[in-house]
Amino acid sequence: MANTIPLSSLIGFLLHKSYHELTVLSELLPKKSDMERKIELVEYARTTRLLFIRLLALVKWASSAGNLTKCDEVSRALEQRSLIYVDAADQLMTLARTTLVNASLPNFSLAGAIDVLTLGKYPRLPTCIHDNIVSLPPLPREESLRVCTELEHVIQQRLAITALPQKFLTSSKIANGQVQFTVPFEFEVHLTVLGDDPMLPWRLLKLDILVGSKHTSMMETSIHPQQKDYLHKLLQSRLFTDQSPLLDLYNTLHTFCMALKLELLHLQVQLFSSQVAGDHVKVEEYFPGKLLRIGYWRHDTSQHYLSNFTMEQLSMTGKILITIGGTSSCDLSFVLEHTPALADCDACEACEMLDVRLMIDKCVNTRSKMILQDLLILFKNTAFEPHVSMCDEPLSLQIQLLSSNQCHLHLSVDKRIGRLIASVLPLTTNNAVQDKLEEIERDLLGNRSNLLNLILSLQLIVAMVVVMDTVVDCGLNYSTHLPILKPLPLSLPQMIYVHLPDVPNIYLVVGVSRRDGFCDVEYLHYLLETLHVPSVPLPHLGVVGEPSVFLATRSLVQLDGQLLLSSGNRTIPVLASRMLLKRKFDLSNLQLPSPKRLCLVAKADVSVGVCAQLSASQAAITHLIKQLTRAGIVHHTIHHEAHMSPVVHVLQLPFPSGCDWESYQLLSNRLKSCEVRWCEGKWIVKLLLLQDVIVSVHGASSVAVCRYVYGFSEDVGERLIHDWSSLLKLLAPVLELASYQQEGSVAVEGWTMTEFDFHKLKISNRSSEQLTILAEKGKLFLQLADDNPFNMVHSSLELMLNRSLCLPQLLQGMQSTIQPIILLHGLHNEIKQHTQQYISIQSKSPSLILLVFINMYCIELYLNANSTITIADGGSSAVDPAGIQGRTTPLWYLQSFLQRFLRDQSGEESYTMATMSATVSSIATPITPSQTSSRSSTSASAAVLAPSPYPIASPRPSPIVSLSSPSPPPLPSLPPLPSPHASSLVAEKRSTSNSGSWSRVLSWEQFLSLLSYNEGDGQCPLSRFLGNFYLLNQFNMQVKQDKMQSGSSREGQIQLRSVDRGVYLFHTDTLDLHIAMDSNNFQKLTFSVQPAQEHVWSDSELETLCEYFHSQVSCPPYSGHAVTAFVRLLSVPLRVLKSCVHLMQLQMSPPADCYWHVRLCLTVPHSIDAPDIAVPGNPAVAFRGKLLTFLEFRGVRSYPGLELVIPILHDPMAKSNSTHLAKLQHAPNTSQLKISIMQAMDNVLRNTAHEYHFSPQQHQSSLYPCIQAIVNNPLTINN
């Protein structure tokens, strides 16, 4: 609408007006006073506010003015209609008053009417109409032919006397009364004359411009029709005036056509640049009708690949200059100049044909050939010269890389940018080849100093790529890298690892190296055997996350690939063994399979395809022959059986060191056969042995078969020798046992051999107890049933058997100690269940058992043959000080404890040291079978010290008691068992050298009482003694450690005063502490406290402290961290210690109406809600100027069953005296209820501590009042 304005424009006007006024104020106000500036600003704000209020009112009104707008439109329409009616009335009035008054009809034409009616026509028209409209009648055909013939004669006569250009003389054609002149690719004209008068000018009948190109879509219409009409008129006018009209006609048209050709060339270059070449081809200079300068191979110097361009190469952009030249207007033509100058370039013909692409291609080809010829000079007088040639299709420099196939390096010039490019077809897509080609191209852009070395490296890479393709075509997999810890001793620039089937740890290593000649590449083949290294993390190598798997080199064998291809030679030639020997040797009689595809020889060396198809069995046989030869095993040649893998027959096994010669001769004579066969990636060794004359076992066959399975990574020769020695080691004890059984010796009474096959022996007794002895890996392994009680001393029995190789002694000892072992085995599980793993049972020998308490105290248990047990302190033992006993502490009270315990049990004194020495001296005589089977008395006085049933070979004998075993009565035909005389001398020597040690003999009933557990506290007398003794020492050690850490005495620090007969006296500033072992029964600690100052401690507080020590510290599970926390509590300042004692009293005697029960933690509980502050199980008290402790709250009346463990931080300084929760980060699984309650507890602590800070009692510690406030607070949480 005409009278409306957009709201946006209105708002814009107001904003501009306001901004303008504000700008004016900013310029004028600085010159005025402060009051004037304030007045102006208020005035500006008022006027601006009024404007925007008006705008707001207008907007609100316009939003509801729709009906008014419609009424306004209706009113306007009615006014327009009224104006139309008024205008019509005015025009009618004017017509009636002025026009109609003067209007009249013309006179009638009577003469014309009469002619029309009488004659039927109107003869009175003007004659000009007839002359201009009515055409003349056409000439007859004969007249036309005659006139044309006469005109042709006139034209010939005129041409004979008129000067003509040279091209008109050869292209004129006269016909149909006109002459036609045609200049190819320029123009064609048709001329005639209107008479035979020599002064009549030529008439131009038709003009055709023939300039055009098939590349421009302007072949027919190279100029506009208006341009053509203008040119036609121009030429006709010049024909009227010029003295040499035809010569002038040619010069004009020829000049015009040359300029038009130049314009078309310019157009083609622009199209070629925009559609094909881009910025690499551009028009550098163009003057219409004069010259055209074209630049190609233009470079953008900002591109990364031009960083190594030299200035000479950057300046080699090609330029083509096209000009129109000639001596006169008649011989104008294109002149083509190239920069730099080119020889033998026929680009001018393409220029005349108006083909820019052809012209540039010819220039590019000529320049590319010149560049490649210059590059060819670099290869002269080098090893490359015989293998470099120039190739025309496509234009490139061809370098032969390999002599065995058609792999060539092509160096060509990129026609778009003029850059030298390298390619190796069809291997250009390979990443390694592509990277090397890029290096070659960068060197070609530079000074080309390293070009020859790069081509040599490319040759090896191409050879390796060909090898990879050959391996893939053979159906095998390969890897370029292996996780080998140490690099292989191979100096090969390129190599791969081919995976052989069914052998995961053997690889065929194929490498390439260069010989003397350039194209003479040598293929090297190795067989690599690896071992898996245990997976371990390597942080020093930057390896994070899961551990990696690495390989270690076991052996490396070189194969002779050339001998593989020899006619009739199907063996595996080996060049080197594990150390890569230089001498070559062959392994004969190993048949190789024929290659899958013989056509592979066209791609790579034939040896690569043959070696890649080596089967796993043939690769394994190669190693087997070396291993057997190195181990000195005499073997036969390899046999090939139908449908089976090759097998090697072993003729004789050598005599291993450490074995019996007679057993070796006997077993060698019974060796029927031994063969080694490869099966599914493993070695199967099968030995057939005759056993009918060696030992008689019920149900046994006459031939025993021993089968061993070895992995490929193992040394078969070494493993076979070890297993052969284990058979010999087992045979000698079996023969000895068989001899004793045949003679009926009491040493092996009750034992029977149930199975024997040279590598396994099964023996059982009357009680169906069975043991199995296996001969493997050069050792004898003892196997027992899971429920066999001798599993406790299994390792010791096995060690004793391998050292002595005497089965009768082993069986006799087991038979003698069967009862103690059974009883001790029953106690083993009970000890673990009650002592929470801080007492462990370990075996050092078949007759020596160790009870270890928290890896600090050790008790030696010697099993005697008469069902008695000898107890000694392992910490004071001088035998094997580097073992467990060497790392433990002596038990000072063990002798007194045992004396008191035995007195309480039997009412009699136990053996003294002198009694034990006398008992030891009485063990000089061998034990008889009756003595072995007799049972000991239950009382301590009837207990007789008996020797150990095992030989002196046991690793841990008693320092006093002899552990030798007596030999049975000698048999007529058998050698006696080892005499105990030597072992007695050793025991006597040890007893005299360690006179300070002692031992005690207990009956089995007494030992059971010593380890009987009480259902109340779940402890036995021995564990209570050890636990309290540990806490006593821990108390002393913690006091010393705190003193060393503090460096100087401080307030409340606990110090050691004296040690008198096992009674420790400690003191602080206000307390004297007495702690010792209870001498009545050695089952608890005595702890008493006396005040060091008067009127400081009350009797109830001291009684609370003693009671807390006995109920929370000196109790199971005997935690050293609890002692540490208690010592730290005693070392805090006095007022803090009093608060802690009150907390102890609050814990042991909680109020009946409290809402929470509180417990002062000595160790950090595992249910702590703040795992970021302390580690569970560590001491729960720390004091470094501030006290950090952990309290456990259990809901009673408020939130029953809810348990919270919170850290409390108390600052005892007089200026602070604060108590609050330590800053903590809750565990992810902490409930919102616990978090809210802990926040409420923190508020209560802070508020209560704040009251004590500003109250008269600020000299008192706020710790206890704050905790008491929580105990008596329900801590209601509002949801």
Side-chain angles (χ1 to χ4, degrees):
M1 301 175 63
N3 296 328
T4 60
I5 182 172
L7 180 61
S8 60
S9 300
L10 186 60
I11 295 175
F13 293 155
L14 292 180
L15 291 177
H16 284 297
K17 182 176 182 300
S18 301
Y19 180 75
H20 176 70
E21 292 178 356
L22 186 61
T23 305
V24 173
L25 286 177
S26 64
E27 295 178 355
L28 298 178
L29 289 182
K31 302 177 182 179
K32 298 182 179 181
S33 62
D34 183 63
M35 182 59 66
E36 292 177 346
R37 286 197 296 269
K38 291 180 179 179
I39 294 174
E40 291 294 338
L41 289 176
V42 171
E43 183 66 23
Y44 169 75
R46 186 185 66 82
T47 55
T48 305
R49 182 172 178 273
L50 290 177
L51 284 176
F52 282 97
I53 288 175
R54 293 176 184 177
L55 177 62
L56 178 62
L58 179 62
V59 171
K60 291 183 177 180
W61 173 85
S63 61
S64 61
N67 297 331
L68 182 62
T69 303
K70 294 180 182 179
C71 294
D72 183 65
E73 292 178 354
V74 172
S75 176
R76 289 178 181 276
L78 293 176
E79 290 179 359
Q80 186 71 20
R81 187 67 56 84
S82 177
L83 290 176
I84 292 174
Y85 289 152
V86 171
D87 183 67
D90 291 342
Q91 289 183 2
L92 290 175
M93 183 185 66
T94 303
L95 180 63
R97 292 180 178 180
T98 59
T99 304
L100 294 179
V101 174
N102 299 324
S104 61
L105 294 175
N107 295 327
F108 294 105
S109 178
L110 297 178
I114 294 172
D115 292 337
V116 171
L117 292 176
T118 58
L119 300 177
K121 57 183 180 180
Y122 187 71
R124 301 182 184 275
L125 292 174
T127 57
C128 63
I129 295 176
H130 180 274
D131 297 338
N132 295 331
I133 294 177
V134 179
S135 59
L136 297 175
L139 292 175
R141 180 175 176 79
E142 294 76 6
E143 184 68 18
S144 298
L145 293 175
R146 184 183 62 80
V147 171
C148 289
T149 302
E150 291 180 359
L151 283 177
E152 290 174 359
H153 292 297
V154 172
I155 290 172
Q156 289 178 357
Q157 188 269 337
R158 293 286 295 272
L159 291 177
I161 62 175
T162 304
L164 295 175
Q166 183 65 29
K167 291 188 177 181
F168 275 9
L169 295 176
T170 58
S171 62
S172 60
K173 179 180 178 182
I174 300 175
N176 297 327
Q178 57 185 352
V179 59
Q180 175 183 346
F181 296 105
T182 302
V183 178
F185 303 106
E186 290 189 9
F187 61 88
E188 180 180 294
V189 294
H190 295 262
L191 300 174
T192 187
V193 292
L194 300 181
D196 54 357
D197 188 358
M199 300 303 297
L200 292 175
W202 290 90
R203 294 286 181 173
L204 180 61
L205 301 179
K206 184 180 180 182
L207 172 64
D208 292 328
I209 302 299
L210 304 181
V211 177
S213 173
K214 60 181 178 179
H215 301 282
T216 61
S217 71
M218 296 181 63
M219 179 67 75
E220 300 296 335
T221 57
S222 56
I223 62 175
H224 196 270
Q226 293 182 358
Q227 292 177 324
K228 184 177 179 180
D229 294 340
Y230 172 77
L231 185 60
H232 189 282
K233 295 178 180 179
L234 176 63
L235 294 175
Q236 184 62 56
S237 63
R238 297 179 70 88
L239 289 175
F240 288 157
T241 59
D242 203 299
Q243 297 180 358
S244 301
L246 297 183
L247 189 59
D248 183 73
L249 173 69
Y250 172 78
N251 293 336
T252 303
L253 287 177
H254 183 58
T255 303
F256 174 76
C257 289
M258 292 299 295
L260 185 59
K261 286 182 179 181
L262 195 61
E263 178 67 25
L264 289 180
L265 289 176
H266 175 251
L267 177 62
Q268 286 189 50
V269 174
Q270 290 181 336
L271 292 176
F272 183 67
S273 174
S274 61
Q275 297 177 1
V276 180
D279 294 336
H280 301 294
V281 176
K282 285 291 184 180
V283 176
E284 296 186 352
E285 187 180 6
Y286 175 63
F287 290 100
K290 293 184 178 180
L291 63 89
L292 173 65
R293 192 186 304 275
I294 306 172
Y296 65 92
W297 287 0
R298 295 167 54 88
H299 303 290
D300 183 5
T301 55
S302 62
Q303 297 182 13
H304 68 279
Y305 61 84
L306 297 175
S307 58
N308 294 331
F309 260 35
T310 61
M311 295 303 297
E312 180 182 358
Q313 290 170 329
L314 288 174
S315 62
M316 288 186 65
T317 300
K319 296 181 181 179
I320 303 174
L321 177 62
I322 303 175
T323 58
I324 300 176
T327 56
S328 61
S329 300
C330 295
D331 57 353
L332 293 178
S333 62
F334 285 131
V335 179
L336 191 143
E337 297 180 2
H338 192 281
T339 304
L342 299 179
D344 302 331
C345 181
D346 53 351
C348 294
E349 182 180 356
C351 182
E352 294 291 342
M353 296 173 59
L354 302 183
D355 193 343
V356 170
R357 287 194 179 186
L358 181 59
M359 176 185 64
I360 295 178
D361 286 344
K362 289 185 176 183
C363 294
V364 166
N365 289 337
T366 305
R367 284 207 64 191
S368 300
K369 192 172 183 179
M370 293 174 59
I371 293 174
L372 294 178
Q373 287 177 351
D374 295 340
L375 185 61
L376 184 61
I377 300 176
L378 295 177
F379 297 99
K380 288 187 176 181
N381 300 325
T382 63
F384 297 86
E385 185 175 5
H387 310 283
V388 181
S389 60
M390 185 74 72
C391 182
D392 294 333
E393 292 295 336
L395 184 61
S396 62
L397 201 63
Q398 181 175 290
I399 304 174
Q400 184 180 1
L401 297 178
L402 301 178
S403 59
S404 57
N405 52 27
Q406 300 299 323
C407 288
H408 296 83
L409 171 63
H410 295 271
L411 299 179
S412 57
V413 181
D414 191 345
K415 292 186 177 181
R416 296 177 66 250
I417 60 177
R419 175 188 176 189
L420 283 170
I421 57 177
S423 62
V424 180
L425 299 177
L427 305 178
T428 307
T429 56
N430 185 273
N431 293 333
V433 175
Q434 183 64 32
D435 294 341
K436 187 58 64 176
L437 291 178
E438 291 179 358
E439 292 184 20
I440 294 176
E441 291 177 358
R442 285 194 295 269
D443 191 77
L444 288 173
L445 293 176
N447 53 13
R448 303 173 183 176
S449 60
N450 199 31
L451 178 61
L452 303 182
N453 294 331
L454 291 176
I455 296 177
L456 292 176
S457 301
L458 176 65
Q459 180 192 20
L460 297 180
I461 295 176
V462 170
M464 183 51 62
V465 172
V466 173
V467 171
M468 295 177 184
D469 294 341
T470 305
V471 171
V472 171
D473 290 340
C474 291
L476 300 177
N477 298 326
Y478 68 90
S479 301
T480 56
H481 297 87
L482 286 180
I484 301 178
L485 293 178
K486 294 183 179 180
L488 298 179
L490 301 176
S491 58
L492 296 177
Q494 299 290 332
M495 61 181 178
I496 61 173
Y497 304 90
V498 182
H499 301 264
L500 296 179
D502 302 329
V503 188
N505 57 342
I506 286 190
Y507 303 90
L508 175 64
V509 182
V510 182
V512 294
S513 63
R514 187 179 298 103
R515 295 179 182 175
D516 297 336
F518 168 66
C519 288
D520 197 2
V521 176
E522 181 181 8
Y523 295 89
L524 303 177
H525 316 87
Y526 301 86
L527 280 178
L528 172 64
E529 181 184 359
T530 61
L531 292 174
H532 283 279
V533 178
S535 302
V536 293
L538 298 177
H540 61 282
L541 296 179
V543 180
V544 296
E546 293 295 330
S548 303
V549 178
F550 296 94
L551 301 176
T553 304
R554 182 177 178 85
S555 64
L556 187 63
V557 181
Q558 183 177 358
L559 304 179
D560 192 342
Q562 297 300 326
L563 293 180
L564 288 173
L565 306 177
S566 302
S567 59
N569 183 12
R570 306 302 297 169
T571 63
I572 299 181
V574 180
L575 296 183
S577 61
R578 186 186 301 267
M579 300 305 294
L580 290 179
L581 302 178
K582 296 182 179 180
R583 182 176 59 86
K584 298 184 179 181
F585 59 92
D586 292 342
L587 299 178
S588 59
N589 299 326
L590 292 182
Q591 297 296 326
L592 293 178
S594 59
K596 295 180 181 179
R597 301 180 183 178
L598 295 179
C599 61
L600 294 177
V601 299
K603 296 184 61 177
D605 192 3
V606 181
S607 61
V608 176
V610 175
C611 291
Q613 298 177 57
L614 284 173
S615 64
S617 60
Q618 293 157 344
I621 290 294
T622 303
H623 294 280
L624 175 64
I625 297 299
K626 292 192 307 169
Q627 293 168 356
L628 295 181
T629 304
R630 184 169 58 248
I633 299 177
V634 181
H635 57 86
H636 202 272
T637 56
I638 303 173
H639 293 274
H640 298 272
E641 302 177 1
H643 308 290
M644 296 185 68
S645 58
V647 62
V648 177
H649 292 280
V650 176
L651 301 181
Q652 183 180 2
L653 292 170
F655 173 70
S657 60
C659 296
D660 183 59
W661 175 255
E662 295 180 359
S663 300
Y664 169 72
Q665 289 181 337
L666 179 61
L667 196 59
S668 298
N669 295 333
R670 296 300 181 267
L671 181 61
K672 185 178 181 180
S673 67
C674 177
E675 62 180 20
V676 184
R677 188 183 300 273
W678 175 260
C679 181
E680 296 182 356
K682 297 180 180 179
W683 292 109
I684 306 298
V685 180
K686 182 179 179 183
L687 285 81
L688 297 181
L689 298 168
L690 300 176
Q691 66 173 359
D692 51 346
V693 298
I694 295 181
V695 61
S696 177
V697 178
H698 179 70
S701 59
S702 59
V703 178
V705 179
C706 298
R707 187 183 302 272
Y708 301 98
V709 179
Y710 305 142
F712 183 81
S713 60
E714 299 179 272
D715 193 333
V716 178
E718 182 179 352
R719 286 293 307 277
L720 184 56
I721 293 298
H722 286 175
D723 290 328
W724 173 250
S725 65
S726 63
L727 295 180
L728 297 176
K729 290 181 180 180
L730 180 59
L731 181 60
V734 169
L735 293 176
E736 185 178 6
L737 178 61
S739 300
Y740 274 84
Q741 288 180 342
Q742 291 175 4
E743 297 294 337
S745 174
V746 295
V748 293
E749 183 180 0
W751 293 95
T752 305
M753 287 189 294
T754 59
E755 181 182 348
F756 175 69
D757 56 359
F758 290 97
H759 75 283
K760 181 173 64 175
L761 171 65
K762 288 186 178 181
I763 308 175
S764 61
N765 58 8
R766 297 171 183 175
S767 59
S768 300
E769 296 291 341
Q770 181 174 315
L771 61 90
T772 303
I773 301 176
L774 294 178
E776 292 180 353
K777 300 179 181 179
K779 294 175 58 179
L780 299 182
F781 295 91
L782 184 64
Q783 293 183 352
L784 302 173
D786 294 338
D787 56 349
N788 196 315
F790 282 96
N791 278 319
M792 294 179 53
V793 293
H794 172 269
S795 59
S796 301
L797 291 174
E798 189 174 270
L799 180 61
M800 173 183 149
L801 177 61
N802 282 278
R803 287 183 177 181
S804 64
L805 296 179
C806 183
L807 273 177
Q809 287 184 354
L810 179 68
L811 299 179
Q812 181 184 7
M814 293 178 63
Q815 188 68 26
S816 301
T817 58
I818 183 65
Q819 293 299 330
I821 287 293
I822 291 176
L823 295 176
L824 192 59
H825 181 265
L827 289 174
H828 191 193
N829 295 331
E830 188 175 1
I831 290 175
K832 286 186 176 181
Q833 179 181 359
H834 288 86
T835 59
Q836 301 179 1
Q837 300 296 331
Y838 53 80
I839 290 183
S840 61
I841 297 180
Q842 302 180 15
S843 169
K844 297 299 290 183
S845 72
S847 62
L848 175 58
I849 307 299
L850 302 181
L851 292 180
V852 182
F853 182 83
I854 321 182
N855 291 329
M856 291 186 63
Y857 310 109
C858 176
I859 296 179
E860 297 178 345
L861 304 178
Y862 295 94
L863 306 181
N864 302 320
N866 56 355
S867 297
T868 60
I869 293 180
T870 302
I871 298 181
D873 181 11
S876 60
S877 175
V879 182
D880 191 15
I884 295 179
Q885 294 91 325
R887 300 193 301 268
T888 56
T889 304
L891 289 167
W892 306 327
Y893 301 111
L894 179 60
Q895 184 177 6
S896 301
F897 163 69
L898 292 177
Q899 289 176 356
R900 178 68 63 180
F901 176 76
L902 293 178
R903 182 185 302 117
D904 295 341
Q905 291 291 322
S906 61
E908 300 179 1
E909 290 293 336
S910 298
Y911 292 104
T912 60
M913 187 67 187
T915 305
M916 290 301 305
S917 302
T919 306
V920 171
S921 62
S922 64
I923 318 178
T925 58
I927 146 182
T928 62
S930 60
Q931 292 173 339
T932 305
S933 60
S934 64
R935 302 182 56 87
S936 64
S937 172
T938 58
S939 64
S941 60
V944 178
L945 181 62
S948 171
Y950 297 95
I952 194 60
S954 301
R956 289 301 307 272
S958 170
I960 299 298
V961 182
S962 173
L963 300 181
S964 62
S965 109
S967 61
L971 300 177
S973 59
L974 296 176
L977 292 176
S979 173
H981 179 67
S983 61
S984 300
L985 293 178
V986 174
E988 182 179 359
K989 181 179 179 181
R990 291 178 177 176
S991 64
T992 56
S993 64
N994 191 21
S995 60
S997 62
W998 61 271
S999 62
R1000 182 74 57 184
V1001 179
L1002 300 179
S1003 65
W1004 186 251
E1005 288 77 7
Q1006 293 171 341
F1007 183 71
L1008 287 179
S1009 300
L1010 186 64
L1011 292 179
S1012 60
Y1013 287 90
N1014 187 3
E1015 296 297 335
D1017 59 354
Q1019 300 295 317
C1020 64
L1022 181 61
S1023 64
R1024 279 192 290 268
F1025 164 73
L1026 294 175
N1028 286 284
F1029 185 79
Y1030 166 69
L1031 295 182
L1032 180 62
N1033 289 335
Q1034 192 69 19
F1035 200 100
N1036 184 26
M1037 292 173 57
Q1038 185 61 37
V1039 170
K1040 294 180 179 179
Q1041 184 177 0
D1042 286 353
K1043 183 177 181 181
M1044 293 176 59
Q1045 290 180 354
S1046 61
S1048 61
S1049 61
R1050 54 175 172 80
E1051 180 186 358
Q1053 183 178 0
I1054 186 171
Q1055 297 181 3
L1056 176 65
R1057 175 180 295 176
S1058 64
V1059 180
D1060 185 13
R1061 296 181 181 180
V1063 179
Y1064 290 89
L1065 302 179
F1066 302 95
H1067 74 92
T1068 63
D1069 296 339
T1070 60
L1071 294 174
D1072 290 334
L1073 310 174
H1074 301 257
I1075 181 172
M1077 182 72 74
D1078 188 0
S1079 60
N1080 293 327
N1081 51 14
F1082 295 94
Q1083 295 292 289
K1084 63 180 180 179
L1085 295 177
T1086 60
F1087 181 78
S1088 61
V1089 183
Q1090 298 295 330
Q1093 301 177 9
E1094 296 181 357
H1095 310 295
V1096 176
W1097 292 94
S1098 64
D1099 295 339
S1100 61
E1101 291 174 342
L1102 297 179
E1103 184 180 355
T1104 299
L1105 190 61
C1106 293
E1107 183 181 355
Y1108 184 82
F1109 175 81
H1110 288 102
S1111 62
Q1112 301 295 327
V1113 181
S1114 178
C1115 63
Y1118 305 111
S1119 173
H1121 292 308
V1123 174
T1124 302
F1126 186 75
V1127 172
R1128 291 177 180 175
L1129 285 177
L1130 296 177
S1131 302
V1132 299
L1134 175 60
R1135 58 177 181 173
V1136 181
L1137 180 57
K1138 279 182 170 289
S1139 291
C1140 294
V1141 172
H1142 292 162
L1143 286 178
M1144 297 174 187
Q1145 186 176 7
L1146 185 64
Q1147 172 182 344
M1148 294 184 291
S1149 300
D1153 57 347
C1154 64
Y1155 290 94
W1156 299 86
H1157 282 177
V1158 63
R1159 182 175 71 90
L1160 179 61
C1161 299
L1162 296 178
T1163 59
V1164 180
H1166 291 273
S1167 59
I1168 182 175
D1169 294 323
D1172 58 322
I1173 294 183
V1175 179
N1178 284 0
V1181 177
F1183 183 77
R1184 292 292 186 271
K1186 296 182 180 180
L1187 176 65
L1188 173 65
T1189 182
F1190 289 82
L1191 299 180
E1192 181 180 1
F1193 291 89
R1194 183 170 57 87
V1196 181
R1197 297 172 56 191
S1198 179
Y1199 308 103
L1202 180 63
E1203 294 184 358
L1204 290 176
V1205 178
I1206 60 175
I1208 302 295
L1209 186 63
H1210 173 63
D1211 189 359
M1213 300 298 294
K1215 296 182 179 179
S1216 176
N1217 198 13
S1218 62
T1219 303
H1220 56 84
L1221 263 67
K1223 294 183 179 180
L1224 51 87
Q1225 181 178 1
H1226 297 285
N1229 56 352
T1230 305
S1231 63
Q1232 187 63 35
L1233 177 61
K1234 289 186 177 182
I1235 297 176
S1236 302
I1237 294 176
M1238 294 173 69
Q1239 185 64 36
M1241 288 181 177
D1242 190 30
N1243 295 334
V1244 173
L1245 293 175
R1246 293 180 183 273
N1247 294 335
T1248 306
H1250 184 74
E1251 294 176 1
Y1252 270 76
H1253 180 66
F1254 293 100
S1255 65
Q1257 295 104 352
Q1258 61 178 354
H1259 64 280
Q1260 298 179 0
S1261 174
S1262 63
L1263 177 61
Y1264 173 70
C1266 292
I1267 302 303
Q1268 190 179 23
I1270 293 180
V1271 171
N1272 298 324
N1273 194 324
L1275 299 178
T1276 303
I1277 305 300
N1278 296 325
N1279 295 330

